[in-house]
Amino acid sequence: MMGRKPYIREVSKTTWWLKHPRYMNYMLREVTSLFIGLYTAVAIDGVWRLQQGREAWEHFIAWTFSTEAVFMHIVFLVFAVIHTTTWFNVTPKAMPMHVGDEPLPDAAIIGAHYAGWVVVSVLALLIAGK
Amino acid sequence: MAKSHKPIIWGLFAGGGMVSAFVTPVMILITGLAVPFHLISREAMSYDRVHAFASNPIGKLLLFVVIFLPAWHAAHRLRITAHDFGLRQDIPIAVVLYVTAAVGTIMTISALLKM
């Protein structure tokens, strides 16, 4: 039996993350998944239309010129970049690396990821644009 | 030790997070913004060129990886994020998200195999 009433802190289940900038940063990082998911749905739609044929694909490309599609893709891009930077910034914790017995400095691990990101992005754009 | 499906979901989440981090921003640029903003020509994204890319076995594999892994990453992370926003019906949420990712994966495979 409890001798006294335990203290229970009242915490909102839906708005707790508004209480501290650190919690807001956490939520910003986690909600990137919503936009990665939505963009992936657009990409699947694109592949599906490509398989349907020339006309369906042309419709898809024409749609990307619309104001709402441009707006959507800018929002997707902003959140995708937030995902990339937050993901890379925790890589030293998620997969610490060693050279011999020496731990690799955090900056080296993070820097290597950023360098790889730039190379992949530039190459992809160059290949896509011929 | 009891068998668990967790390592599979976790592997898809981590692998998908890494693939997304490297390629999703540039994919968004290529498929959504580069043509309207004249970074690349409309011909570069013409039906013939993109279809040829998706018909090539390496192109197919690349497209599959950059679509299916981020889909599973997003599904798993959204499940956790729903909990953080106070939605405590974990099982129905998990079912909806994983089924959506599975349907997307199957659509991607079947579309790529037809080209």
Side-chain angles (χ1 to χ4, degrees):
Chain A
M1 224 173 84
M2 294 278 256
R4 56 194 169 129
K5 204 174 153 219
Y7 171 67
I8 297 167
R9 198 163 54 107
E10 284 294 323
V11 180
S12 162
K13 283 187 169 63
T14 49
T15 58
W16 60 272
W17 51 278
L18 291 168
K19 303 287 180 207
H20 195 288
R22 197 180 298 147
Y23 301 160
M24 282 194 255
N25 272 334
Y26 166 82
M27 273 308 211
L28 181 66
R29 181 159 64 92
E30 297 306 299
V31 294
T32 58
S33 58
L34 175 63
F35 299 94
I36 300 280
L38 290 174
Y39 169 69
T40 306
V42 171
I44 293 169
D45 181 49
V47 173
W48 192 255
R49 282 158 190 260
L50 185 64
Q51 161 271 135
Q52 284 182 318
R54 188 179 300 274
E55 205 182 322
W57 176 254
E58 289 305 330
H59 265 107
F60 178 76
I61 292 297
W63 168 74
T64 64
F65 281 79
S66 68
T67 313
E68 63 269 23
V70 168
F71 176 77
M72 263 170 63
H73 281 92
I74 290 172
V75 174
F76 291 159
L77 182 62
V78 168
F79 280 94
V81 169
I82 295 171
H83 167 69
T84 301
T85 54
T86 53
W87 191 268
F88 286 168
N89 291 347
V90 298
T91 48
K93 289 197 173 62
M95 37 180 218
M97 279 182 259
H98 295 262
V99 177
D101 286 337
E102 289 299 302
L104 214 57
D106 288 3
I109 300 174
I110 296 173
H113 281 89
Y114 275 92
W117 183 34
V118 171
V119 170
V120 167
S121 303
V122 170
L123 271 180
L125 271 176
L126 285 177
I127 293 167
K130 297 187 247 206
Chain B
M1 218 172 88
K3 274 196 181 165
S4 160
H5 61 276
K6 252 189 168 166
I8 299 171
I9 297 287
W10 179 256
L12 290 171
F13 166 74
M18 195 54 99
V19 167
S20 275
F22 278 107
V23 304
T24 303
V26 75
M27 257 180 92
I28 294 170
L29 272 180
I30 292 169
T31 68
L33 295 169
V35 180
F37 283 98
H38 308 293
L39 276 171
I40 61 178
S41 67
R42 194 162 175 162
E43 292 77 61
M45 290 296 280
S46 69
Y47 174 77
D48 292 321
R49 189 156 183 260
V50 183
H51 193 275
F53 181 75
S55 304
N56 176 294
I58 297 164
K60 245 187 243 303
L61 188 66
L62 266 173
L63 283 172
F64 176 63
V65 168
V66 300
I67 289 173
F68 121 96
L69 276 176
W72 284 93
H73 166 84
H76 183 63
R77 203 175 202 181
L78 269 174
R79 175 187 177 186
I80 310 301
T81 307
H83 180 91
D84 289 340
F85 276 111
L87 300 168
R88 295 296 149 93
Q89 296 79 8
D90 181 55
I91 299 299
I93 289 169
V95 168
V96 168
L97 290 169
Y98 294 149
V99 166
T100 307
V103 168
T105 303
I106 292 164
M107 279 179 74
T108 307
I109 293 172
S110 75
L112 288 173
L113 289 182
K114 277 183 204 159
M115 292 187 275

